[in-house]
Amino acid sequence: MVKVLLTGGSGFIAAHIVDILLQHGFDTVVTVRSEEKGKRIIEAHPDVSKEKLSYVIVEDVAKDGAFDEAVKSNPPFDFVLHTASPFHFNVQDPVKDFLDPAIKGTTGILKAIKAYAPTVKRVVITSSFAAIVNGKQHPKVYSEKEWNPLTWEEAMDHSSVYRGSKTFAEKAAWTFIEKEKPNFDLATINPPLVFGPIVHYLNSLEAINTSNQRIRNIVQGEMKEKLAPTGNFLWVDVRDVALAHVRAIEVPEAGGERFFVTAGFFSNKELVDIARETHPQLESKLPSADTPSDFPEHIYEIDNTKSQKVLGLKYRPLKQTVSDAIDSILAVGV
């Protein structure tokens, strides 16, 4: 059987990746930060044997040698999906708290695989549109060819440190492949805001992923008086992002490629309109139907054809994604 290591197994995207890996017949080992999270994942898949799904604990992905033991396996791993990212509530020092852990977390697992897992053929890393976007000067069309031009100095600004961490971590991964010439190749998945159903056994409404927070806020009535600015107008469904990771190990041509995984444009006004249509019981918590949209008159274009042609993605429509996300949020309890 083909065996996969999935890091960050309790994350929003990773929880959906687990389901797809199991559906596609992969033996799956997830890394988690605690025994409790590992047990929750196993308990949520009661029909799956321990040969098909198990976990290992990696408490701090940014520590030197964090993944050395996790990548050793018998039978050995064929692929690694790296979705784990350092987890910090309190960023006081952008380098120490954010940039170093992001870069070390990424290069650390690549070093461990090269040293201890010679059977691994491909590593797929969850990057981000943050590593593509140019906040100062949008190109006419965004595709995988674009890189965020942010400098290390600019990333010291707290408002830019997240984009910097994603950009430098992904660049470090490609540099590692180029210089170290390991036994595996690399693919990266670069999504923008990721919406969609939360996984009830791992997520509370407080610990919800950042992108879905705006849908939760709409459901909870926090935008009734004033619609928050949309900010980033690109989105994708979590299930499509999860499938992209799995397809990136199944499709030989995916090696050596970045994939800009996005379904297209949205605005917060659209999210509210969908909530009103699909969940009329929320009407009293929503801003009025004539609230204006902040979607810009002129905006860049996007080119996501590589993800469709190479990975075979067919993107879900926004209405389905938002409706499913609201269902899952209501199921957890508002």
Side-chain angles (χ1 to χ4, degrees):
M1 281 308 302
V2 182
K3 194 168 185 181
V4 177
L5 178 67
L6 169 64
T7 71
S10 61
F12 173 52
I13 295 170
H16 288 275
I17 293 175
V18 169
D19 293 339
I20 297 172
L21 284 170
L22 294 172
Q23 285 162 18
H24 288 217
F26 292 103
D27 290 356
T28 304
V29 179
V30 298
T31 75
V32 287
R33 284 193 301 271
S34 69
E35 193 85 39
E36 180 208 358
K37 290 218 163 125
K39 283 181 176 163
R40 276 199 213 162
I41 292 169
I42 301 300
E43 284 161 8
H45 300 87
D47 301 331
V48 179
S49 71
K50 64 178 185 300
E51 285 75 30
K52 296 298 290 179
L53 179 64
S54 59
Y55 65 89
V56 291
I57 295 171
V58 177
E59 287 177 357
D60 181 358
V61 300
K63 263 194 183 151
D64 284 346
F67 290 103
D68 289 0
E69 293 307 312
V71 301
K72 297 173 186 173
S73 173
N74 186 23
F77 291 113
D78 300 280
F79 299 103
V80 176
L81 302 180
H82 181 53
T83 76
S85 58
F87 189 71
H88 292 283
F89 283 117
N90 190 1
V91 178
Q92 291 171 338
D93 178 334
V95 176
K96 190 157 106 339
D97 296 341
F98 225 115
L99 297 172
D100 272 358
I103 294 163
K104 283 179 181 164
T106 300
T107 54
I109 191 159
L110 298 179
K111 285 176 185 165
I113 295 164
K114 186 185 177 197
Y116 303 110
T119 53
V120 170
K121 305 177 198 61
R122 178 169 299 160
V123 178
V124 179
I125 291 177
T126 313
S127 185
S128 170
F129 179 58
I132 291 176
V133 69
N134 182 343
K136 294 181 210 152
Q137 181 67 56
H138 293 299
K140 186 172 183 300
V141 181
Y142 272 115
S143 73
E144 295 84 357
K145 296 185 186 80
E146 306 299 324
W147 277 94
N148 187 336
L150 199 72
T151 65
W152 188 266
E153 290 68 37
E154 289 166 336
M156 294 305 113
D157 184 318
H158 282 220
S159 64
S160 300
V161 70
Y162 171 75
R163 285 181 175 179
S165 73
K166 284 298 194 184
T167 304
F168 304 139
E170 190 190 339
K171 282 188 168 174
W174 289 113
T175 300
F176 181 93
I177 298 293
E178 191 186 324
K179 290 194 170 159
E180 298 288 328
K181 302 193 171 21
N183 42 295
F184 53 85
D185 63 12
L186 178 69
T188 63
I189 308 296
N190 296 65
L193 293 174
V194 182
F195 297 142
I198 61 173
V199 179
H200 64 89
Y201 61 89
L202 290 170
N203 294 99
S204 68
L205 291 184
E206 284 65 52
I208 200 168
N209 70 301
T210 310
S211 303
N212 264 338
Q213 280 172 8
R214 66 180 72 203
I215 297 178
R216 177 203 64 190
N217 292 349
I218 289 167
V219 169
Q220 292 182 332
E222 289 180 32
M223 293 197 200
K224 182 171 171 58
E225 302 306 322
K226 189 176 190 308
L227 203 57
T230 304
N232 177 0
F233 296 94
L234 290 177
W235 75 282
V236 66
D237 189 294
V238 64
R239 293 161 292 190
D240 296 334
V241 178
L243 181 60
H245 283 77
V246 178
R247 295 292 293 145
I249 60 175
E250 292 177 328
V251 177
E253 299 76 30
E257 300 289 349
R258 301 174 94 196
F259 292 97
F260 180 28
V261 173
T262 181
F265 297 98
F266 84 104
S267 68
N268 281 352
K269 159 78 168 156
E270 255 186 293
L271 301 184
V272 169
D273 290 347
I274 290 168
R276 180 176 281 111
E277 182 190 345
T278 61
H279 293 76
Q281 73 272 28
L282 296 174
E283 181 64 53
S284 65
K285 296 184 174 179
L286 304 177
S288 67
D290 57 6
T291 303
S293 172
D294 65 350
F295 194 81
E297 197 178 328
H298 302 290
I299 196 166
Y300 45 82
E301 295 168 36
I302 56 162
D303 178 1
N304 63 1
T305 49
K306 193 202 282 190
S307 67
Q308 295 179 67
K309 283 182 177 163
V310 178
L311 302 181
L313 294 187
K314 293 180 175 68
Y315 289 103
R316 284 171 171 81
L318 185 64
K319 182 176 173 182
Q320 180 193 347
T321 299
V322 174
S323 180
D324 290 350
I326 293 173
D327 283 345
S328 71
I329 288 167
L330 293 173
V332 172
V334 175

